[in-house]
Amino acid sequence: MEYNPRNIEHKWRKYWDEHKIYQISNDSDRPKYYVLDMFPYPSGAGLHVGHPLGYIASDIFARYKRLSGFNVLHPMGYDAFGLPAEQYAIQSGVHPAVSTDQNIAKYRQQMDNLGFSFDWDREVKTSEPGYYKWTQWIFLQLFEHFYDLEAGNALPIGELIARFEKEGNRSVKAANGQEETFTADKWKAMSAKQQAEVLMNYRLAYRRTSYVNWCEALGTVLANDEVKDGLSERGGHPVERRAMLQWSLRITAYAERLLNDLDTVNWSDSLKAQQRNWIGRSEGAQLFFEVKDSEEKIEIFTTRPDTIFGATYMVLAPEHPLVDDLTTDDCLEQVGDYLKYVGSRTERERMAEVKEVTGCFIGAYAINPFNGKEIPIWIGEYVLMEYGTGAIMAVPSDDERDQAFAKKFGLEIIDVVDKTDYPGAGLHDKIGKMINSDFLTGMEVKDAIQATNDKIEEKGIGKRRINYKLRDANFSRQRYWGEPFPITYDEQGIAHANAVSELPLELPELEDFKPASGGQSPLARREDWVQLPNGHRRETDTMPGFAGSSWYFLRYMDAHNTDAFASQEAINYWQDVDLYVGGTEHAVGHLMYSRFWHKFLYDKGLVPTNEPFKKLINQGMIQGVIEYLYLMKEKREGYNHFMCSRMAAQKGITEFAKIPVHIDFVQAYGSDESHLNVDSIKKFIDWRPDYTDAIFECGNGIFHNGVFTPNADATDSTLYTHSEVGKMSKRYYNVVNPDDVIERYGSDCFRMYEMFLGPIEQSKPWNTNSIDGVSKFLRKLWSLFYDEKGNFLVAEGEASKEELKALHAAIKKVRNDIERFAFNTCVSAFMVCVNELRRLKCHKKVILKDLVVLLAPFAPHLTEELWELLGEQPSVHLSSYPEHNEDFLKEDSTTYPIAINGKTRGKADFPADASREDLSAAAVDLDVVKKWADGKTIRKVIVVPGRMINIVVS
RNA sequence: GCCGACGUGGCGGAAUUGGUAGACGCGCUGGAUUCAAAAUCCAGUUCUGGCAACAGAGUGUGGGUUCGAUUCCCACCGUCGGUACCA
């Protein structure tokens, strides 16, 4: 009887479904384990072979944990709000909810085809009112809280108001954007609107005028990570900076905790480094410079206060608010010109020409607080308004950018750090001895920084300060397909939270999804929805994609709860995510926002853990091979197109356009010999009729108008393609659909093959070539149960020593490797074991039973079938994962490699229980040793019991 | 530039704390079976020399520590990912 994966897989999937095998309870005696996948955005293209990589890995681990006695939460859902569905709606008029549901149905069908053990009863969709009710609810909590820096957590805004009423804001240490201080009396004297504005400066969700990445073509604001090189990631449209009134989340309040708590999670170094980088903590000093003939003071931030005596000028960002006030009359014109020039430059140009030095003197002078020296004030593009204070003291001797600027504009350079003791040290390194620096002269840089900081604080001209690169997160999108804000504005424009009883605030129906005028959200066109009877108007922006995805893992714990985002019992049972599997592309976006929301909920006492994701595995991407034809850019010999083979490309012709070719036409796809033969060139022309009249220069001839004309010596009529490894994407025609592979080999085979490709963290190109090896393995396993004639071979009887050894070696290896997520070597271990059992002709039930359970996480359908064949009750997952017995692996004798001076020269068997002394004595008598030590003296014998013996001679 | 990861046969990749480098799979070569093919099975397969036994070289390059280094340290080269005028 043959192994027929399709029948087996259908049978068991149906069984699992009917018996709700993977439905799990929030109430169990077993310890909990939470295995989470990053939920997908359901795009129209469906899943390709790369998507399931992480899902397979997490499914294996979830099944392994289930077999090991854990109550495992392993859910799946959809990140269903997003721009593509809205773009599609604009083009086609199909409501995003409809197209999203269609896509979800397709995803679901594809995922079902892979045999995952998800508990689908807990499925979440971020676009469902029952879900986004709680996204809105959490937003309102953020709106109603501020961050108390002294308490180190979030507190209700009511407490802040109470403190303002008692003592104003002078003593309040909170994360805020409030600039003025006020007394209690002043607070009480403020109008309702003024008070509301002040409170806005403290709220964790707040509204402010901010510069945003505005994309005219898409009619919306984009997140930083949606902009690449000044162009929108989607569509590649130009992006400009525009000031808009926007909702923001005060993630900066949590910067320090987000940074420190990275030490408590089990994530990869590179991911932690990315987050640290993004948070960008730097220690330094805030310092005020007085301005000559002015009341104004310029506030700067520096990490090198020690170089203060080398500060020979100052630079303000062009957008700095003081620029207007400080510019002197005789400089008005040049400053005006410069500002005009800066304004004319798009973000893209600024980024492209980073190294170009531009700037302008504004006529004013600042006073160095340490030596009273007057130093000129400039403005320059290289100083960014968004970082620090938007102003710097320039120390050209110790900062490359300042130096370039000073050299270009002929500004004074004073050396203040002597680095002659540190050859090879860069300008930026904080080492050296201070010179030309008054009281600092002679000190090491490290000490000088401390000394200067002390002096700054003593003089009252500034403070030690910590600065972060992390910016508050922009939380407004001018889109339809997102969560509406549960916020209304009264006649004065004061923002009011909707009552919780009014949640969810559902998206109103629309017929046209285009943005409204002035870059407003499409929602603004539903005047009847926006205008409320009490005179209030609704917020028309919607929340960004990361809103719904910042907390979804909590919803799975109690997905149908209508009274809370999840019940406290459920949350206290499941606690946090033990294992999170997903791509690195979310390293600084999703993972940062989720941690922030989680910490806020923790402060509120709503979740028991400080961090949401204990362990994180980043699966690599499965890439595609892109096959290109090269098209000569110049026309040749009167023909419109001239396709060149790879050979021609290698001849040094460089003027090519690359045309991706559909992989179906390519022979030996993905290999060195990828090419189109005459038939496939014809297919290619049918597919791309625009190249009908093209000339194809093949290996040794010309193909044109359906005819191949060989050169004199030609035998080769193929057109070579050039392959590159890249994204698997529709536009490269290289997408491999898992359904096709599964159709042919079965999903157990597909699962094991994806794992067998290599370590999960690694990116690698998809290549179906070697899947046969895994397929062969499964058939070999099957052949332990049935022979070709269909005779059932499984027998009772005691296992032999060798059989036990083969089994237990596999158990040991697989158990160990699963724990460290080395699933590729697990598959190898299975292969070794099955080969050995076949060699031993072992069909014994005692052995096969354990082997089947061992394999269950990897090939769940097949193992269910085999489990049944062994006469067991269905649901292999209810049994327990086998443990290895070291006794079966013990040998009577151990084979030792014998090395002379570290170089292995032979091997010898010794009794397994031989002592170090016995081994040492026996080793020197060996023939190999005599041969290699001939004429030399044995200096030392190094014996590592069980490992090796090394004999040192000279 | 900075931060992080990595570099092993023809290919994907093994080698858990330094201890027989190349497990397992693909591919390739030879053989068995077959009218033939597919499938299956057996043997071989790091490179160089040799019929062979065997010998030499070998984990990006150069150096170091060690009885012994793919593994640890230093410098360099290369690939990938992130980030970018962050004061």
Side-chain angles (χ1 to χ4, degrees), chain A residues 86-319:
Chain A
E86 185 161 331
Q87 297 281 92
Y88 181 69
I90 293 170
Q91 286 163 26
S92 66
V94 176
H95 195 284
V98 174
S99 61
T100 301
D101 277 349
Q102 283 168 357
N103 293 345
I104 285 176
K106 177 151 191 214
Y107 269 60
R108 175 64 192 273
Q109 174 265 317
Q110 285 186 295
M111 284 197 269
D112 281 348
N113 207 5
L114 281 152
F116 293 136
S117 60
F118 294 129
D119 180 356
W120 284 107
D121 276 12
R122 295 169 183 260
E123 178 188 275
V124 304
K125 287 181 206 173
T126 56
S127 62
E128 269 187 358
Y131 179 90
Y132 69 68
K133 171 181 181 178
W134 299 106
T135 309
Q136 292 171 333
W137 183 82
I138 296 171
F139 168 80
L140 287 184
Q141 300 308 308
L142 288 161
F143 178 71
E144 300 288 8
H145 284 76
F146 75 104
Y147 195 82
D148 187 314
L149 291 169
E150 276 173 332
N153 64 21
L155 295 173
I157 206 87
E159 288 188 27
L160 187 68
I161 296 171
R163 275 157 77 176
F164 286 169
E165 280 171 355
K166 216 169 124 202
E167 52 192 22
N169 74 344
R170 212 171 285 271
S171 65
V172 174
K173 288 214 166 38
N176 68 83
Q178 175 70 19
E179 297 192 343
E180 283 103 55
T181 54
F182 50 81
T183 60
D185 289 341
K186 232 178 175 178
W187 167 257
K188 284 173 202 152
M190 285 183 201
S191 69
K193 188 173 161 75
Q194 284 168 323
Q195 286 188 341
E197 277 167 9
V198 169
L199 290 176
M200 242 343 160
N201 288 331
Y202 289 87
R203 295 179 190 275
L204 285 174
Y206 65 102
R207 215 154 82 115
R208 63 165 176 183
T209 304
S210 57
Y211 284 95
V212 295
N213 303 305
W214 171 255
C215 180
E216 188 66 43
L218 297 176
T220 189
V221 168
L222 299 174
N224 275 333
D225 33 313
E226 292 170 311
V227 183
K228 280 249 142 65
D229 300 327
L231 295 175
S232 66
E233 203 173 30
R234 268 189 65 80
H237 305 293
V239 174
E240 60 185 85
R241 298 175 58 69
R242 189 193 263 198
M244 286 180 94
L245 202 52
Q246 300 274 306
W247 284 96
S248 290
L249 298 187
R250 207 178 297 282
I251 188 172
T252 49
Y254 285 83
E256 192 72 27
R257 281 165 67 185
L258 288 168
L259 183 71
N260 292 339
D261 293 345
L262 282 175
D263 294 338
T264 69
V265 293
N266 186 0
W267 297 8
S268 74
D269 289 344
S270 80
L271 203 85
K272 285 186 184 182
Q274 276 183 59
Q275 291 226 340
R276 287 199 187 98
N277 218 317
W278 194 255
I279 295 167
R281 181 184 197 272
S282 55
E283 280 180 29
Q286 161 209 48
L287 182 55
F288 288 92
F289 279 67
E290 290 188 6
V291 180
K292 188 188 169 195
D293 304 325
S294 167
E295 297 288 289
E296 300 289 356
K297 282 181 180 175
I298 298 174
E299 182 191 354
I300 62 123
F301 172 76
T302 178
T303 55
R304 295 296 304 274
D306 56 306
T307 60
I308 181 83
F309 293 98
T312 51
Y313 62 96
M314 303 197 76
V315 188
L316 307 184
E319 305 90 351

Side-chain angles (χ1 to χ4, degrees), chain A residues 375-441:
Chain A
I375 55 177
I377 302 172
W378 286 63
I379 52 177
E381 264 185 309
Y382 80 99
V383 176
L384 308 173
M385 195 58 222
E386 306 89 63
Y387 184 74
T389 61
I392 60 157
M393 67 175 202
V395 184
S397 61
D398 280 272
D399 184 287
E400 279 168 38
R401 294 151 304 161
D402 294 346
Q403 197 167 82
F405 194 86
K407 280 185 177 153
K408 169 145 182 180
F409 296 111
L411 295 156
E412 190 187 3
I413 299 173
I414 302 173
D415 284 330
V416 286
V417 182
D418 176 13
K419 286 194 173 138
T420 44
D421 288 348
Y422 304 93
L427 273 189
H428 231 78
D429 298 328
K430 292 180 188 171
I431 45 172
K433 251 197 173 65
M434 304 307 301
I435 50 170
N436 301 328
S437 293
D438 194 359
F439 72 99
L440 298 172
T441 301

Side-chain angles (χ1 to χ4, degrees), chain A residues 864-916:
Chain A
E864 286 277 28
E865 180 73 15
L866 298 178
W867 192 240
E868 197 181 49
L869 288 176
L870 290 168
E872 301 291 335
Q873 288 298 308
S875 297
V876 72
H877 78 275
L878 294 175
S879 48
S880 61
Y881 213 58
E883 283 182 59
H884 86 276
N885 185 338
E886 199 65 42
D887 291 342
F888 296 133
L889 300 177
K890 272 193 192 139
E891 304 259 9
D892 296 338
S893 67
T894 310
T895 305
Y896 283 86
I898 309 297
I900 312 294
N901 286 347
K903 180 92 194 160
T904 306
R905 293 299 179 185
K907 46 190 171 179
D909 289 342
F910 294 108
D913 53 359
S915 71
R916 204 180 270 260

Side-chain angles (χ1 to χ4, degrees), chain A residues 634-671:
Chain A
E634 300 159 34
K635 290 178 184 175
R636 255 211 220 170
E637 298 167 38
Y639 298 104
N640 283 337
H641 303 294
F642 200 94
M643 299 294 182
C644 296
S645 75
R646 187 183 49 189
M647 301 309 186
Q650 285 166 355
K651 282 175 202 156
I653 307 168
T654 51
E655 287 295 295
F656 293 108
K658 296 197 286 188
I659 306 166
V661 186
H662 202 293
I663 54 167
D664 289 355
F665 307 149
V666 183
Q667 315 293 311
Y669 160 66
S671 81

